[in-house]
Structure formats: C-alpha cells, structure tokens
Amino acid sequence: MSYSIPPPPAQPPTVHRRGIGRRLAALPRPVLISAVAFVALAAGGVTGYLLMGDGIAEGTTVRGVDIGGLSAEEARAKLEAELGDLGTAPLRVVIGDDGSDGAGEPEIHELDPAEAGLSLDFEATVAAAGNPSLLDRILGRGGGEIELVVHQDEEAGRAALTGLAADSDRTVREGAITFTEGEPEVTTPRAGVALDVEGSLGRLREGYPAAPPADGADPADAEPAADPVPLPVTRAEPLTGEAEIEEALRAWAEPAVAGPVLLTAGDATLTISPTLIGDHLTLSADDTGALQPEFDAAALSADERLDDQLAAAETEPVEAELRLDGGQVVAASPGSNGSTVDRDAIGPAVEPLLYAEGEAARTGTVATEEVEPVITPANYRDLGIVEEMSSFTVEFEPAPYRITNIGRAAELINGSAVAPGEEWSFNRTVGERTEENGFVEGIIILDDQYTNAQGGGVSAVATTMFNAMFFAGVKPVEYGAHSFYIERYPEGREATVAWGHLDLRFLNDSGHTIYILASATDSSVTITFLGTKRYDEVRSETGPRTNVKEPGSREGAAGDACVPQPPLEGFDVEVTRIFVDDGTEAGRETYRTTYVPRDEVLCEGGD
C-alpha cells in the first residue's frame, strides 16, 4: 500500500500597519487644522457643559428681560421681580370685534386680571426657555426671545365676562315716537348687542398681559396696550327704518297733536289738550317694524289734570231739606238731581277724533249721568230719619266776627247726612277757615292765651256739635277741649278745632242715617240730630273740680296784638255719659278733661 502525502498549507501574506500619527501626518494640512480645532472646541464645550449644569442659554429674553446664563430658579425670580407688575395691570377691553358696539363711541371697560382668571406662569416660562444640549452649545444654538406663558382659569374668566355682559348687553331697540309737551319725539332704532362669553375667553388670553414696553423702557413701567382688546358680540338689527318713522309721523303722530279735542258734556265743554293727548299716546313697532299708534284711553280718563274741568262740568245733587214740625220729621223741600260726567267714557270718546283735521272734526260728546240725592221726600223715613235724637244750643256774647263765623259754619253743616257706619268730620264739612271760605278774623286761643286769627268763634259751633253728638249716643272718634276753661261752655263737655291739627269727628253707629240741622242767630247756635234713637235717654253727670291750680299774671304782647285776658283757675273734671234703655241703665262712659290755669294778661294802657 502506498500513501500520498499532501503538501503543507499556504502562509497568509504579510501586512505592514502604520500608526495614527502616521495617518494624521498623511492628511492634507487644511483638514488636519480643522480637525484639531474641532477637538479643542468640543473639549471646551464639554468643560462648559459640566460647569454650567442646567443654565439657560445665553441671549434668552422674555419681554426684553435677559435671563440667559441663569439657573431656572434665578430666572424665575428675575422675571417675577421685573415683570410681576405687568401681570397685574388692568386689561382694557371693548365690546365688539371692530372696537365698537355700533352705538357711536365705544365704551372701554377694564378687567382685573386676577378676577378674570388670568395670571403669568413664570415657572412654565422658564421651563419653556429650555436647557440646550451639548451639541447646541458647541454649535452656538439656543437663546433668543421667548413668550410669557399665560395661565387662564376659564371658570373665573366666564364669571368675569358674564358680569361684564350684564353691564354692557342691550336688547335691540326699534324706532318709536313719544310726545313731550304735545310735541313728537323720535326714538332712533338701535341694534341689539350681546357679549359672546365663550368667544371672549380666548381673546382675553391673547390680549394679556398688556403690550410690551417701548425699546429701552423698564418692563415694570409698561403701559396697557394703546388699543383695548376687542371682544366678540352677537348683534340683532332693528326692523324699523327711516321710511317707517317718517310715515308714522305724517299719518299718526303729527295729526294727533295738531290741536285739542273738544268734548261737550251737557252744558259744559271739556278741552283735551295736545299735551294730555301726547302723554297717553305712543307709536311702537309691530312685528314687521311698522310703527302703530297705541292710545291708552283708560289712563287719559283717569288723568287727574282733568279734575278741575270735571268739577266745573258737574252739578251736585241737592238733598231734600228736612225739618221738625210738631216733633215730627217732615220734608221742607224736594231736593233735585245732580249730574256727573261719565269719566270712563272720556278716553274712548277722544280716540276716534285723534287723527281728524279741523276743530269741527275734532269735537265730540261724552256721556253724563244723573246723580240722585241721598235723601228725598220718598225715602227719608226708609233711611230711619223719623225723630229727634238730640239737640243742643250754645249761647254766646254777640260780636261781629262771632256772628259771621258761627253763622257760616252752621250754614256749611246744615243738611249733613251721615250714613250708618260713616264718619262725620267738622274740618272736612266746614273746610279751612279762610276769607275765601267766608270767615273773618276773630279771637281764638293759641298757646294758652287769647289772640286774633281767622275763624275766631267757630269753637262755639264745635262745642254745640260735641254736645249734640254726646246726647245722640253716637261714638266720638276725635275731639279735644280748650286748653283753659271758658265759662259759657259746660265743664268737660266742650270741644275746639284747629285746621290741620285738631278735628272733631264722630262715627254713626246708630244703625240708621243721621240728618243734621244747624242754625245760628246773633247770640246762639243750635244743632239737632234727626234719625232713630239708639237709647231712650242719654244723661250727663259732672263730677267735682279736682287738682285746682291758681292762675298767674303777665304782660301781654305790645300794641294791637295784645288781647286782655281775665284770670281763671285750672282744674281737672270728669263727665260721665249714661245710656238709659227701658228705664234701666244700659252703660256709661267717662270723659276726663284737664284745664290749665287761665293767666291774667295785662295790655299796655289797659285798666
């Protein structure tokens, strides 16, 4: 056996390697220089990066405030110090996208940023500034102006805008015509404006804070933007136009007040002036924008400015006069009907005449109504006026002023009819004691002494009325005695009156109508109540004088104003009213009166 021995394996070729130094040496010189510079720069960047840590890139500014090279904490503190006031400055806004709400000059509003939910987030701003990477620093990237980060609390913003809307929103105003002193006045149509609260939230955020300061100015001194932030609105346009207004003036407004409307009422004529008409007429827009007249006839009818004309046009009914004849109540005269204008018919009578031309066409009639007297010959007995209830007479010393004033008061009281449950008033019936009402000057008591004044002596009529009321058994409501006692009147059973201060009133609680007779002579006044007696008899008991006080003496006023006054003691007294029915006492009432002393008043030159 034979074997073949294979040849030995081939050896790899020998490779000769050069070191890095030889490689660099082999590079072209410009490339080699750039490489060395890059390595040096990178080495410096690494060193700077390690030294700077998290510092903000150089050249970084916020609203002109340089925070480059600062740490995040340092940058935040600097921004808060220099821009904090900027964030609290009021934010000016105007309603309307175009800076106007459509009503002429825009109204500028100011919002407190905090109340509107706006604030500056300096921490987020610093975070947004960033921390550049090693490569960015090596390549010189980073820095520059960055925006302030704004935080907005939308719930607070909605609340502030809703409040602003409440003050600034307005509904659409259609054209209208009203009248002043009988002259037409046009109300110009105007668009309605409503603030878009949701749409305004973003506008607030975009407009906050105020504009940056001018170049070179301190950021903390920044003023609000010259132009306020426009807030969006929704608008509603009026339907009324100039043509509609002109047509309404021509067809309705001007004819309505071209002259008065005249209404005949019986023998009288009521004049409804253009001013009265205009005050109850308006022209308002309907659903199409056309102006239509609206006349308030009821309000015109009730207008108090017609009162004097109506009073002059009306006649009062004349009550049947009653008298006593042999103890029986009889009718002395039949009385007569009066007339009154149907007040509710005035407005409806005016309305169809408003737009007519010429006096004849603007004249109409208004209904009148007859007014029957309360007491007639046919009904007085049915009203319970069947007998004398009471009668009282007061004597007085004749004097011209007393005769005039007492007679005039009796004249005004005579024939008074007081229905069951009704109050009678001396002041309302007699009226103010003036010259125009038929009264003259005479002696009265004022401040506990005699003096001269209009209506002196009328207290004699008041005292007579008080006693007639007292013995008729009806209920007194208001009365007052004289301050000191006057000898001609019964103690504790007398009264005085003063216009605007003291009245004499009673309530008719007899259950039937009361008719009052009043008459006067030159020395007496008598008042009699006719009706139906509630009691068989009313008695009076007067107690003794108590707490007696002696009067003093003093000088009176100088000249003609002085009225001499004799002295009289002051005292207290009680008077009891006793009601008797079927011979038995049915009740009693006690009236207590205090009289002050009547000082002696001496007049210069007197005895």
Side-chain angles (χ1 to χ4, degrees):
M1 177 177 295
S2 62
Y3 297 91
S4 294
I5 299 174
Q11 295 296 319
T14 300
V15 177
H16 299 281
R17 299 183 181 274
R18 290 183 293 180
I20 189 167
R22 291 182 176 181
R23 290 175 178 265
L24 292 173
L27 290 174
R29 180 172 292 275
V31 173
L32 181 60
I33 293 172
S34 296
V36 171
F38 177 79
V39 170
L41 179 62
V46 170
T47 303
Y49 185 81
L50 292 175
L51 292 175
M52 288 287 295
D54 60 351
I56 295 172
E58 293 292 341
T60 301
T61 59
V62 179
R63 290 285 179 117
V65 177
D66 187 357
I67 58 172
L70 301 179
S71 68
E73 184 176 348
E74 291 170 336
R76 183 172 58 253
K78 186 174 183 181
L79 292 178
E80 287 176 351
E82 298 197 28
L83 299 180
D85 290 343
L86 187 64
T88 60
L91 185 61
R92 299 195 308 159
V93 299
V94 65
I95 308 301
D97 284 324
D98 58 356
S100 171
D101 61 2
E105 290 297 322
E107 182 177 353
I108 307 299
H109 304 269
E110 287 191 350
L111 291 177
D112 183 332
E115 292 180 1
L118 295 168
S119 60
L120 298 178
D121 193 334
F122 294 114
E123 185 173 353
T125 301
V126 171
N131 187 0
S133 66
L134 175 61
L135 181 60
D136 288 334
R137 290 184 184 277
I138 292 173
L139 298 178
R141 293 200 295 259
E145 177 71 15
I146 62 172
E147 291 295 323
L148 268 171
V149 176
V150 173
H151 175 73
Q152 183 178 43
D153 181 337
E154 292 193 352
E155 183 176 349
R158 287 189 185 91
L161 289 168
T162 299
L164 179 61
D167 294 334
S168 60
D169 286 3
R170 66 165 186 245
T171 57
V172 63
R173 183 178 70 193
E174 296 292 347
I177 300 175
T178 56
F179 299 83
T180 299
E181 298 295 328
E183 294 294 330
E185 290 194 350
V186 174
T187 298
T188 305
R190 184 187 65 190
V193 177
L195 180 63
D196 180 357
V197 171
E198 290 300 320
S200 296
L201 285 171
R203 295 288 182 89
L204 289 184
R205 186 173 57 251
E206 293 166 4
Y208 173 78
D215 291 342
D218 186 343
D221 296 332
E223 294 293 332
D227 295 325
V229 178
L231 301 182
V233 295
T234 57
R235 281 190 172 85
E237 298 298 328
L239 299 173
T240 310
E242 290 185 9
E244 286 84 359
I245 293 174
E246 291 298 325
E247 175 61 19
L249 282 169
R250 183 195 65 77
W252 306 107
E254 292 171 350
V257 293
V261 169
L262 306 177
L263 298 179
T264 57
D267 295 332
T269 299
L270 303 180
T271 300
I272 315 301
S273 68
T275 296
L276 272 173
I277 293 169
D279 287 350
H280 301 290
L281 176 65
T282 57
L283 286 90
S284 304
D286 62 15
D287 293 341
T288 67
L291 296 183
Q292 298 295 334
E294 297 176 8
F295 179 65
D296 193 338
L300 175 63
S301 297
D303 197 309
E304 63 183 15
R305 288 172 288 181
L306 292 172
D307 290 353
D308 290 343
Q309 290 194 70
L310 289 174
E314 295 172 350
T315 57
E316 293 290 333
V318 177
E319 305 292 338
E321 291 185 16
L322 305 180
R323 62 181 176 86
L324 283 171
D325 184 6
Q328 298 293 316
V329 179
V330 297
S333 69
S336 61
N337 291 343
S339 68
T340 184
V341 177
D342 182 0
R343 186 158 195 156
D344 292 340
I346 295 175
V350 169
E351 188 164 11
L353 307 176
L354 284 177
Y355 312 108
E357 295 183 6
E359 181 177 320
R362 295 175 70 84
T363 300
T365 60
V366 62
T368 59
E369 299 174 345
E370 280 196 345
V371 181
E372 294 184 352
V374 174
I375 298 172
T376 67
N379 73 358
Y380 73 90
R381 291 186 177 277
D382 296 334
L383 297 174
I385 307 174
V386 297
E387 61 185 336
E388 180 183 304
M389 298 175 69
S390 66
S391 186
F392 198 80
T393 298
V394 167
E395 305 285 344
F396 57 85
E397 183 178 345
Y401 78 88
R402 288 197 183 106
I403 294 171
T404 298
N405 293 338
I406 291 172
R408 177 58 176 158
E411 178 187 9
L412 293 167
I413 292 171
N414 186 53
S416 295
V418 189
E422 186 175 270
E423 281 188 10
W424 182 89
S425 160
F426 189 101
N427 282 341
R428 185 174 63 244
T429 304
V430 174
E432 189 173 1
R433 274 67 81 185
T434 63
E435 183 177 352
E436 293 75 15
N437 196 23
F439 294 90
V440 297
E441 189 176 275
I443 296 175
I444 67 167
I445 299 173
L446 180 65
D447 297 331
D448 301 335
Q449 72 178 52
Y450 289 132
T451 188
N452 287 294
Q454 208 76 16
V458 167
S459 63
V461 184
T463 293
T464 309
M465 174 61 73
F466 180 85
N467 280 273
M469 172 200 74
F470 183 96
F471 289 107
V474 293
K475 181 180 179 180
V477 175
E478 180 184 357
Y479 74 96
H482 290 84
S483 58
F484 53 70
Y485 178 56
I486 299 174
E487 294 91 323
R488 63 178 173 269
Y489 300 148
E491 296 178 14
R493 222 176 59 226
E494 48 90 12
T496 187
V497 288
W499 181 260
H501 299 285
L502 179 62
D503 200 359
L504 172 60
R505 296 184 293 133
F506 71 84
L507 173 69
N508 178 10
D509 57 353
S510 70
H512 300 85
T513 299
I514 292 175
Y515 185 88
I516 302 175
L517 296 174
S519 61
T521 69
D522 289 352
S523 59
S524 68
V525 55
T526 300
I527 292 180
T528 302
F529 279 29
L530 304 181
T532 299
K533 288 182 178 181
R534 186 175 178 183
Y535 304 99
D536 292 343
E537 184 182 6
V538 178
R539 299 174 184 163
S540 176
E541 289 184 357
T542 303
R545 295 182 179 184
T546 61
N547 195 28
V548 176
K549 296 181 179 179
E550 295 302 318
S553 180
R554 51 194 165 89
E555 293 290 332
D560 295 339
C562 182
V563 177
Q565 183 171 287
L568 184 69
E569 65 186 17
F571 58 91
D572 296 342
V573 66
E574 288 187 356
V575 173
T576 301
R577 181 163 68 161
I578 303 169
F579 305 102
V580 179
D581 227 354
D582 293 329
T584 303
E585 184 176 317
R588 59 174 51 208
E589 295 172 344
T590 300
Y591 299 77
R592 296 177 178 84
T593 304
T594 296
Y595 293 110
V596 301
R598 187 174 68 202
D599 292 342
E600 181 181 27
V601 174
L602 303 174
C603 294
E604 184 179 349
D607 297 333

